[in-house]
Amino acid sequence: MFGFGALLRNSAGDCVRATLARVRACLINLLELKGVVAGVQLAKSMDAHQVWSETDSTTVVAWAGVKGSIPC
């Protein structure tokens, strides 16, 4: 089993919400991407208007910067 998660912080850096999920098998870059997506969805559910997303995956950052490059 593998997993991913997301942590939502306010502008002061305090944790306000978190989420996590498990998946059977997945490529590490897709797990990183799922974490970013989960964070954005969590922020959206809280009506956040400005979101700053961080990841240590340079591949996911590159995918985010090129339209149509994120795998399905």
Side-chain angles (χ1 to χ4, degrees):
M1 287 295 257
F2 297 91
F4 63 90
L7 180 66
L8 200 61
R9 297 180 183 271
N10 62 18
S11 59
D14 302 319
C15 177
V16 293
R17 233 108 163 239
T19 186
L20 58 92
R22 287 185 174 185
V23 294
R24 286 196 179 269
C26 198
L27 298 173
I28 188 66
N29 288 327
L30 291 179
L31 285 172
E32 291 279 354
L33 181 60
K34 286 177 181 283
V36 171
V37 170
V40 171
Q41 289 173 335
L42 187 60
K44 183 179 178 182
S45 75
M46 297 181 65
D47 291 327
H49 297 284
Q50 294 181 346
V51 176
W52 177 324
S53 184
E54 293 184 4
T55 178
D56 61 354
S57 171
T58 55
T59 302
V60 171
V61 171
W63 285 342
V66 180
K67 185 176 180 179
S69 66
I70 296 175
C72 298

